[in-house]
Amino acid sequence: MNILGIDTSNYTTSVALVSEDGFRQSRKILSVGKGECGLRQSNALFLHTVNLPEMMRALKPMGKLDAVAYSAYPRDVEGSYMPCFLAGQSAAESISSALDLPIYRFSHQAGHLMAAVKTCGNENVGKSPFLAFHASGGTTELLYAEPNDEIGFSAEIIGCTKDISAGQLVDRVGVMLGLSFPCGGELEKLALQSKAKKIPAKICVKGADCNISGAENVALKMQKDGVPAEDIARFAIEFAGKTILSMSQAARERYPELPIIYAGGVMRNEIIKKMLAKSLPNVLFADTALSSDNAVGTAYLGLEKYMRETR
């Protein structure tokens, strides 16, 4: 069985081919101008349209396809919508119609969760309720999740940011320091150069909810005060990590027996992952290569749905 997955998120064009034996993927980060912190949706949609043929060619040979799956919207909630996903929808529907294949639509978030479930190293996770932390440029949400045959996972938000996301903090501070957007990898390398004995990172967490935007103001003041760039980078990452840890601890008090699985681009950060693994039991992480936006999880969602329908 071969399932083609397509995901056109705000910053990555991604296609993947999965089967019961594994996966192959091709993806490309959308280009963002120097000093900019993002893209207009119209620009993202245009870039996905340009990138998709190249990404599809990179998957050759595909062999016989059995179904197509794509990310249609950010999350499984009413009104969740971003125009950039129309590029993936157009490609998926065209392929499905031309080849007379089943087509499945899922949320971008469900794709992230499935990618984490498939690569976290514990084959039992995802078959019963679990906690999931989705931390990315657009989302900082703590979820109570359980399998759902129709949409992949049912997810109830039990904690979230009340202003900007952890990924926005990382990117905004990175751009402020002259790094290229998206800034996660470069900011982590810069933070590892910090020699400061202690970095003040007073977080703002109430229960499992948080506020993050204040850290951006602190980082700006640190820069004005002449604090070295590597210390500012370390501050931003430690602030994000301590915030995620505190929210996770609140969730663990409420659901002590459930594993917590971490997904999303922020969770590529090894500093944050080590902080969480050291402080919390029973935590799992998506494979680093599949923490950021990808079509692999979407394709696996399609594979499982196709198998249920044909067996």
Side-chain angles (χ1 to χ4, degrees):
M1 296 180 189
N2 281 328
I3 311 298
L4 176 67
I6 303 173
D7 183 275
T8 52
S9 69
N10 209 30
Y11 300 115
T12 306
T13 309
S14 178
V15 297
L17 192 68
V18 308
S19 69
E20 293 174 280
D21 298 322
F23 69 87
R24 289 188 289 121
Q25 68 166 327
S26 176
R27 60 184 175 182
K28 185 174 184 178
I29 296 175
L30 305 186
S31 19
V32 176
K34 185 71 174 177
E36 296 181 5
C37 287
L39 285 170
R40 293 179 182 273
Q41 281 291 297
S42 57
N43 291 341
L45 182 57
F46 170 77
L47 290 171
H48 284 311
T49 304
V50 172
N51 291 344
L52 275 169
E54 176 190 348
M55 300 299 98
M56 291 291 187
R57 285 192 294 270
L59 277 187
K60 287 184 175 180
M62 289 191 191
K64 177 183 176 295
L65 293 178
D66 294 290
V68 183
Y70 71 98
S71 300
Y73 33 79
R75 297 162 48 229
D76 286 294
V77 295
E78 186 176 352
S80 182
Y81 170 76
M82 289 180 76
C84 58
F85 290 107
L86 291 173
Q89 177 181 333
S90 176
E93 291 185 351
S94 296
I95 294 168
S96 170
S97 297
L99 300 179
D100 193 24
L101 298 175
I103 186 168
Y104 306 118
R105 50 188 279 153
F106 300 101
S107 71
H108 176 72
Q109 186 173 75
H112 266 299
L113 297 188
M114 179 57 90
V117 163
K118 285 291 185 181
T119 62
C120 70
N122 186 332
E123 61 182 18
N124 293 318
V125 172
K127 296 178 180 178
S128 58
F130 61 99
L131 300 180
F133 208 123
H134 182 191
S136 68
T139 304
T140 297
E141 289 182 349
L142 186 49
L143 309 166
Y144 174 91
E146 52 189 341
N148 180 302
D149 287 350
E150 186 62 30
I151 61 175
F153 301 98
S154 297
E156 174 194 353
I157 299 173
I158 59 174
C160 64
T161 176
K162 297 302 183 181
D163 43 44
I164 68 172
S165 70
Q168 284 177 305
L169 172 65
V170 168
D171 287 330
R172 290 179 183 183
V173 172
V175 168
M176 182 188 81
L177 296 176
L179 306 181
S180 299
F181 182 96
C183 306
E186 289 186 58
L187 195 73
E188 182 176 6
K189 289 178 184 177
L190 188 59
L192 290 171
Q193 298 173 27
S194 173
K195 303 298 182 184
K197 292 183 178 179
K198 187 176 181 181
I199 298 290
K202 186 177 180 181
I203 61 174
C204 183
V205 178
K206 185 175 182 180
D209 293 329
C210 70
N211 290 87
I212 296 175
S213 60
E216 183 181 2
N217 297 328
V218 174
L220 284 167
K221 185 177 186 304
M222 291 172 75
Q223 187 183 48
K224 288 178 181 177
D225 291 344
V227 175
E230 58 269 26
D231 293 345
I232 299 173
R234 183 174 152 194
F235 159 76
I237 289 174
E238 287 196 7
F239 186 96
K242 289 178 181 179
T243 296
I244 292 170
L245 172 59
S246 181
M247 294 170 70
S248 300
Q249 288 170 330
R252 179 50 58 74
E253 289 178 8
R254 183 175 173 186
Y255 300 100
E257 304 301 323
L258 295 185
I260 307 177
I261 190 166
Y262 294 87
V266 172
M267 299 316 305
R268 291 175 60 90
N269 190 290
E270 293 297 328
I271 297 172
I272 295 176
K273 287 165 72 172
K274 288 177 182 177
M275 185 186 301
L276 295 168
K278 180 180 178 181
S279 304
L280 289 169
N282 201 14
V283 295
L284 302 160
F285 303 94
D287 181 89
T288 301
L290 294 182
S291 290
S292 54
D293 291 353
N294 66 85
V296 175
T298 303
Y300 270 121
L301 288 169
L303 176 63
E304 294 205 350
K305 192 164 186 177
Y306 180 79
M307 290 171 64
R308 283 193 298 269
E309 291 181 353
T310 56
R311 287 182 176 176

